[in-house]
Amino acid sequence: MKRCGPADAAAGAGDDNDLVFHAHDTLPFQAKVGVAAGMHHVRSAMVLSRSYNVAADPLSDVVTVLGGRSVRLTRLEASGDWALGFPAQARLKFVALLRGGCCILLPDHPPRRMAEGDVFLIGHTAYTVASEPGIEPIDGTPLYREPGHDVARLNGDDTVLLGGGIAFTGIGGGFMLDALPVFLRIGRASPSATAVSRTLELLDAETVDGRPGSSVVTMRLADVLLVEAIRAYVADQGESCVGWIGALGDRQIGEALRLMHGEIDRPWTVASLAARVGMSRSAFSSRFSSRVGRPPLDYLTHWRMLVARRLLSEERADVASIASAVGYTSQSAFGHAYKRTFGHSPRRP
């Protein structure tokens, strides 16, 4: 099995000026795909727990808790020889090739050729997009620095690319980014890429036609494209990668993850999870660790702490109520787990 995801810790979102990102300050990603956060102005552990457990879909759940926000869709049109470089940032980006051909270059990786209709997901790494390898890149950041500068044009439009993705609030983005390779390609010819190709065609039409409401539609379609690309990755990789996102494609381990996310306050044990997904305790523990990359209760504890940190930053409830909402009957035990995870006691910002 290969490890699908870097070990680098994710920092803040940083300066959102590159081919694929510019921070968008209206609707969060999860609202755009119909996931209700339900995490505001609660006053008891019962209400906290009930409001948090709205979504049992781990992918939507993670994006919600990590404060994932859609970013501005951008476009590059270019001809001739060209190369644009962009710095590493803790965001999940997509780059889609609508027309022509180009290469993507990453540190310590060979050049990757993009074919028309391909979509690339890029994690926390610097990268260069170029007409051909070997061309000295210029800094692409200034091309998209100003609000409203969504399209960059370089000598023509033989090659056309679109970019978008998710930026994360604070330092929690590593939970998402570390579960994916730093770079992956969803080829147009992939058996799982039908929805990706269909969404890309709609995006292209919207960006060209400029009809009323096109900015709203393109942002929603960009969200859909990113999710469909992750789905295609999960379907294509099967059991060949480690990480909670890849494990969602495993019937039993994926169900265990949905149980943990959907009933975070339940006093789960390895035995109770194994029973719910129809496996023996030892087989479940071994398979979960192999697919996700950490033991079941280790994953659950880390996820509970991420949720608790989000609640502490947003809710009016006290620490004891938040501890109960994420499955702790003892405030002391919660405090110790929180400190082990983040290096300090639970507190409000």
Side-chain angles (χ1 to χ4, degrees):
M1 282 190 173
K2 64 183 179 182
R3 181 75 182 180
C4 291
D8 34 296
D15 183 12
D16 293 335
N17 299 306
D18 65 13
L19 169 62
V20 295
F21 277 96
H22 196 290
H24 194 276
D25 58 3
T26 55
L27 289 177
F29 175 93
Q30 65 274 14
K32 295 179 181 179
V33 294
V35 179
M39 295 171 62
H40 294 286
H41 311 306
V42 291
R43 297 184 180 277
S44 70
M46 182 181 295
V47 175
L48 264 173
S49 180
R50 184 163 59 245
S51 67
Y52 172 71
N53 289 329
V54 171
D57 165 31
L59 180 57
S60 299
D61 205 17
V62 169
V63 172
T64 299
V65 170
L66 299 185
R69 304 186 70 85
S70 300
V71 294
R72 192 180 84 197
L73 188 73
T74 55
R75 184 180 178 101
L76 172 65
E77 300 175 359
S79 295
D81 294 333
W82 55 272
L84 300 177
F86 300 99
Q89 298 193 44
R91 302 166 301 185
L92 180 60
K93 309 172 259 290
F94 75 76
V95 177
L97 182 61
L98 297 178
R99 184 166 67 246
C102 66
C103 292
I104 289 188
L105 301 94
L106 292 88
D108 304 319
H109 287 77
R112 305 290 186 97
R113 172 65 63 176
M114 290 187 75
E116 197 168 295
D118 286 354
V119 176
F120 282 73
L121 297 185
I122 303 172
H124 191 191
T125 181
Y127 71 98
T128 294
V129 58
S131 56
E132 296 291 342
I135 299 174
E136 186 67 25
I138 64 170
D139 183 5
T141 302
L143 298 178
Y144 302 96
R145 176 167 288 142
E146 298 299 325
H149 289 192
D150 301 335
V151 181
R153 295 183 172 90
L154 302 175
N155 307 318
D157 61 358
D158 293 335
T159 297
V160 178
L161 297 114
L162 287 179
I166 311 174
F168 299 101
T169 301
I171 63 173
F175 191 83
M176 178 92 173
L177 296 174
D178 290 351
L180 290 166
V182 72
F183 176 80
L184 64 95
R185 170 180 172 268
I186 309 299
R188 185 174 187 173
S190 168
S192 304
T194 302
V196 173
S197 298
R198 190 162 56 237
T199 307
L200 196 53
E201 290 172 2
L202 292 171
L203 259 175
D204 188 21
E206 283 294 332
T207 56
V208 171
D209 293 346
R211 291 177 292 175
S214 63
S215 62
V216 175
V217 173
T218 54
M219 288 298 291
R220 304 306 191 271
L221 287 173
D223 292 341
V224 172
L225 180 64
L226 187 64
V227 172
E228 291 294 354
I230 292 174
R231 287 174 173 175
Y233 157 73
V234 171
D236 289 345
Q237 294 298 312
E239 297 190 11
S240 67
C241 71
V242 178
W244 66 265
I245 291 178
L248 294 174
D250 183 298
R251 183 176 63 84
Q252 291 168 302
I253 302 307
E255 177 61 19
L257 289 167
R258 285 183 283 275
L259 289 169
M260 291 181 185
H261 283 256
E263 301 177 67
I264 193 172
D265 57 340
R266 190 180 181 94
W268 292 112
T269 64
V270 174
S272 63
L273 285 165
R276 288 287 294 271
V277 300
M279 299 179 72
S280 71
R281 184 186 184 282
S282 60
F284 170 71
S285 182
S286 175
R287 186 166 181 80
F288 190 101
S289 299
S290 176
R291 293 304 312 270
V292 176
R294 58 174 66 190
L297 298 188
D298 182 53
Y299 175 90
L300 178 60
T301 298
H302 191 65
W303 176 241
R304 283 171 165 170
M305 295 305 104
L306 287 172
V307 172
R309 184 170 62 181
R310 175 67 184 266
L311 292 172
L312 282 165
S313 71
E314 294 194 350
E315 302 293 351
R316 296 178 180 177
D318 57 24
V319 171
S321 296
I322 291 173
S324 178
V326 297
Y328 284 82
T329 57
S330 163
Q331 187 174 341
S332 174
F334 168 72
H336 286 309
Y338 194 97
K339 189 170 184 178
R340 282 197 306 271
T341 303
F342 300 120
H344 59 80
S345 300
R347 60 175 182 267
R348 299 199 174 283

